Amino acid sequence: MDRRSFLRTSAVGAGAAAATTLAAPAIAQGNRTLTMVTSVPDGFAVFDDAAQLAIDYITAMSDGQLTINKMPAGSLVGAFEVFDAVSSGQADIYHSAEYYFLNQHPALAFMTSVPFGMTSQEMANWYYRRGGQELHDNLSSLFNLKPLMCGMTAMQPGGWFTKEINSADDLQGLRFRMPGQGGQVLGRLGASVQNIPGGEIYQALASGQIDGAEWIGPYADERLGFQEVTKLYYTAGFHEPGSALHMAFNLEVWESLTPQQQMIVKVACEASHAQNTALSLAENGAALARLRSAGVQTREFPDDVWEAFGRASAEVREENMGDPLYAEIADSYFASMDESSAWYEIGDGEYMRQRNRVNAG
């Protein structure tokens, strides 16, 4: 399936969140502490790793003059309430996945990942070199926010299922956890989609509340223990080829930082993003081997399911194209993806063909 053949995206209007009284950051003897709310519990592999690493970098590079107090999901606000909390000034920063907030604006999907979209490297190309950051800034400014890419979970598998998916008909009535446009695609195909926070997925799966769930990848999934509940793991997914995480500041808090502090935060987020990408890609292979040795059975979706995913993905993208900002972001996103893919096919593609031939003997 040629992902570039899919229709180029969607839209719907966005409701702006009004800012209320700004929470005053703690400042003493030239030092400043900001409050960050996150969408996962402390210690969640890959996701929380990215947030904590950025915090550590910021503290070290500022010599302790700028520190961040991390408040995990549920300690100050709920996992999916962090956007509104920072927009309104209840907290200074959030660390999360932007596609959790499609009710604020559907274009936020592109800042995390969309079905049949960018790989992790393509996402970095677009965000850092082809205008993605600027488009994200423009979108987030509507909500009094300043975003920075800060983490990357890379390709996400199809997920854990309590029963096999042998045809597209098996998606009918399936109770499945999946956020973002991927969840909208499954809903269009007849599934009952649940947008459950990361910290609650295991219990929902173990209790039978849901029939399946996707999370991040073998390394993070193994840490959550999904293999204790079911042994069916679909390793190829359609929904998130390269999923970015973000740190977002209340815009007034961001503008109150000195230029040096802003640069420290930017560099810390970029470094965390690079390290997080490496963590995901380096650890997933070994984790999958451990899961298989523990009895997990890896599966692939049949062709008719992939075709259904493709059709529904194109429809979901197209239905929002009437929103000008969504259309602008979608056009930029797919133009950059095509540009990257063309080079990979011409340049890297030939290298990979030759490398595979050599390694095959």
Side-chain angles (χ1 to χ4, degrees):
M1 182 179 295
D2 182 0
R3 65 186 177 181
R4 290 180 293 161
S5 68
F6 288 111
L7 293 176
R8 315 263 166 168
T9 43
S10 31
V12 143
T20 60
T21 304
L22 188 64
I27 304 175
Q29 299 180 349
N31 296 340
R32 186 171 186 182
T33 299
L34 304 177
T35 298
M36 172 193 283
V37 288
T38 79
S39 290
V40 295
D42 271 333
F44 259 41
V46 182
F47 204 129
D48 189 60
D49 287 337
Q52 188 59 54
L53 190 58
I55 289 170
D56 293 344
Y57 285 152
I58 289 167
T59 301
M61 287 191 287
S62 68
D63 198 21
Q65 292 184 7
L66 184 61
T67 59
I68 295 175
N69 178 28
K70 177 161 64 75
M71 305 288 287
S75 58
L76 182 62
V77 296
F80 297 150
E81 297 169 359
V82 300
F83 185 103
D84 289 340
V86 176
S87 176
S88 67
Q90 185 181 357
D92 303 309
I93 315 165
Y94 70 73
H95 185 267
S96 189
E98 296 284 75
Y99 68 174
Y100 290 157
F101 315 118
L102 298 191
N103 61 319
Q104 298 290 354
H105 199 288
L108 286 168
F110 293 104
M111 304 310 164
T112 300
S113 189
V114 297
F116 300 101
M118 291 182 173
T119 64
S120 54
Q121 184 58 59
E122 289 169 335
M123 184 67 179
N125 298 351
W126 176 61
Y127 203 81
Y128 293 129
R129 303 297 301 178
R130 289 295 181 266
Q133 173 76 76
E134 292 76 15
L135 289 166
H136 197 186
D137 285 342
N138 292 342
L139 174 58
S140 296
S141 69
L142 299 176
F143 304 97
N144 197 37
L145 296 169
K146 162 61 183 178
L148 296 157
M149 191 157 63
C150 188
M152 168 57 71
T153 70
M155 185 279 292
Q156 297 201 3
W160 299 83
F161 292 75
T162 56
K163 62 179 182 180
E164 290 190 10
I165 303 300
N166 296 311
S167 73
D169 290 340
D170 291 332
L171 300 174
Q172 293 290 328
L174 183 77
R175 298 169 301 167
F176 199 82
R177 184 270 177 191
M178 182 180 285
Q181 283 193 359
Q184 293 173 350
V185 167
L186 286 186
R188 187 173 286 268
L189 295 174
S192 174
V193 180
Q194 314 291 318
N195 193 9
I196 299 171
E200 301 173 19
I201 301 173
Y202 179 91
Q203 182 58 35
L205 191 62
S207 69
Q209 176 186 339
I210 54 177
D211 303 313
E214 60 78 44
W215 179 227
I216 288 178
Y219 176 62
D221 293 5
E222 178 190 37
R223 292 273 292 274
L224 285 186
F226 296 142
Q227 69 277 10
E228 300 166 4
V229 181
T230 179
K231 300 297 184 183
L232 290 176
Y233 194 27
Y234 283 73
T235 48
F238 75 98
H239 56 300
E240 298 180 43
S243 301
L245 303 172
H246 287 83
M247 181 185 292
F249 281 70
N250 177 282
L251 188 56
E252 293 158 26
V253 171
W254 174 258
E255 291 174 346
S256 73
L257 298 179
T258 67
Q260 181 184 26
Q261 289 171 334
Q262 290 180 351
M263 183 57 68
I264 285 171
V265 172
K266 288 179 180 178
V267 171
C269 285
E270 290 175 7
S272 176
H273 180 81
Q275 289 284 349
N276 204 229
T277 305
L279 170 67
S280 298
L281 295 175
E283 298 298 336
N284 277 337
L288 183 60
R290 290 192 298 270
L291 290 169
R292 281 174 163 164
S293 68
V296 169
Q297 304 170 41
T298 55
R299 294 284 189 271
E300 293 186 8
F301 297 115
D303 288 345
D304 77 307
V305 173
W306 281 107
E307 290 166 4
F309 288 157
R311 289 192 304 271
S313 296
E315 292 170 4
V316 166
R317 293 175 188 172
E318 183 61 22
E319 67 187 6
N320 287 320
M321 285 300 285
D323 181 280
L325 183 53
Y326 183 102
E328 180 185 11
I329 291 172
D331 288 345
S332 171
Y333 180 97
F334 286 107
S336 180
M337 192 174 84
D338 282 353
E339 184 181 71
S340 293
S341 296
W343 167 242
Y344 295 157
E345 291 168 9
I346 296 169
D348 287 0
E350 181 58 31
Y351 164 74
M352 291 303 296
R353 283 190 289 273
Q354 295 301 333
R355 189 181 78 171
N356 292 342
R357 187 179 70 175
V358 169
N359 288 342

